[in-house]
Amino acid sequence: QQPVQSPQAVILREGEDAVINCSSSKALYSVHWYRQKHGEAPVFLMILLKGGEQKGHEKISASFNEKKQQSSLYLTASQLSYSGTYFCGTEYPAGNKLTFGGGTRVLVKP
Amino acid sequence: GAVVSQHPSWVICKSGTSVKIECRSLDFQATTMFWYRQFPKQSLMLMATSNEGSKATYEQGVEKDKFLINHASLTLSTLTVTSAHPEDSSFYICSAGDVGRAGEQYFGPGTRLTVT
C-alpha cells in the first residue's frame, strides 16, 4: 500500500524551513528519500533504517519514528536548489522493493 | 558514486510497434534492477523487479506479456514494450542497487516514450 505524504505542495522563501511527512499503514523496515527535478530521474538523498535514526544531507535531515510508522524530512534554511518533488520510498520487512508516496512538490522562491 | 544509464533517453514510436529500453549499471554489479513507470505529475509506480538469471517479478496489474523484461547480466536489464499503444506513453525509469550497499537505489535518467 502506498505511503501517504503531506503536504502535497509547499512554497517557501529562500532561507525558510519546511517539514515533509511520510506515513505508512504497515510496519516499516526502512524509508528512503529522493528528490526529483522536472524531467529528470529521482536523486537519492538518504535512507533511514528502523531504530529511530536521524540522518542528514547538507541542510536536509530526516527522522524515522518506527512506532508511528512515519518519517519526516526537514528542509532547513532552504535554498533555491531545493526546489523539486520529494518522494519517500518505503521498504517493508517482507520485501526488498520500494513503494513510493505521492510526492511533495517544493518550490523555493528568492 | 554509483551510476545507472538508460538508453534511449527518449523515443517516439508508432502504435503497434515494439520498443526496447536498456538499463545499465556502469560502475557496479546489480543482481536486482527495478522498472518504474511515471505519468506526468504522479508518483513512481513499480512495474517489475528484474532478477539476473531468472524471471522478472511483475507487480499486480502489469501485463508480463506486454512488458518483457530480460536481465541478461549483472550490469544490464532490458524492458521491451510490445505492441505499444498511446496509453503506454510515459516516463520509464530503472533503478539498481549496489550489491555491496544494501538498500540504496540509484536511478537511471529515464526514458520518455511517446506512442503515436
Side-chain angles (χ1 to χ4, degrees):
Chain A
Q1 192 167 0
Q2 189 179 36
V4 177
Q5 281 186 241
S6 63
Q8 287 186 317
V10 59
I11 300 175
L12 302 166
R13 290 287 179 189
E14 216 174 348
E16 292 182 340
D17 303 339
V19 181
I20 300 170
N21 298 304
C22 174
S23 297
S24 171
S25 58
K26 300 195 297 182
L28 297 169
Y29 175 72
S30 68
V31 179
H32 304 222
W33 285 97
Y34 291 82
R35 177 173 62 211
Q36 185 180 31
K37 303 269 185 180
H38 181 68
E40 300 178 8
V43 173
F44 174 80
L45 293 177
M46 65 190 75
I47 177 174
L48 299 106
L49 302 174
K50 67 176 186 175
E53 295 184 58
Q54 188 159 355
K55 293 196 171 186
H57 174 80
E58 298 176 342
K59 290 186 179 178
I60 299 175
S61 61
S63 62
F64 180 19
N65 189 316
E66 194 180 331
K67 285 184 179 178
K68 291 186 178 180
Q69 297 169 183
Q70 69 180 36
S71 176
S72 296
L73 187 73
Y74 306 94
L75 306 181
T76 306
S78 58
Q79 304 169 16
L80 297 176
S81 61
Y82 286 4
S83 292
T85 302
Y86 290 78
F87 291 100
C88 68
T90 51
E91 183 181 9
Y92 302 106
N96 68 340
K97 60 184 181 182
L98 295 179
T99 304
F100 285 91
T104 297
R105 300 178 72 181
V106 173
L107 175 61
V108 181
K109 292 185 173 182
Chain B
V3 179
V4 175
S5 71
Q6 270 185 252
H7 179 81
S9 54
W10 60 268
V11 58
I12 301 173
C13 71
K14 295 196 173 192
S15 188
T17 61
S18 296
V19 173
K20 180 187 282 189
I21 302 170
E22 291 187 349
C23 176
R24 293 181 185 272
S25 55
L26 298 185
D27 51 2
F28 66 99
Q29 294 182 329
T31 54
T32 303
M33 292 183 174
F34 300 92
W35 286 96
Y36 296 87
R37 180 167 52 186
Q38 186 178 36
F39 292 107
K41 296 186 180 180
Q42 293 190 23
S43 186
L44 298 130
M45 299 304 295
L46 180 65
M47 298 175 67
T49 302
S50 172
N51 305 297
E52 188 266 337
S54 64
K55 290 183 179 180
T57 304
Y58 290 83
E59 294 299 301
Q60 195 171 12
V62 177
E63 300 175 59
K64 60 178 71 174
D65 294 331
K66 181 171 181 61
F67 298 98
L68 301 179
I69 291 173
N70 185 277
H71 196 145
S73 73
L74 286 172
T75 59
L76 173 64
S77 175
T78 60
L79 168 68
T80 301
V81 183
T82 62
S83 187
H85 288 101
E87 57 265 31
D88 297 325
S89 298
S90 186
F91 193 47
Y92 291 85
I93 315 175
C94 71
S95 74
D98 190 340
V99 291
R101 302 186 67 184
E104 287 191 40
Q105 289 292 313
Y106 301 94
F107 282 85
T111 296
R112 188 160 300 283
L113 170 64
T114 302
V115 184
T116 61

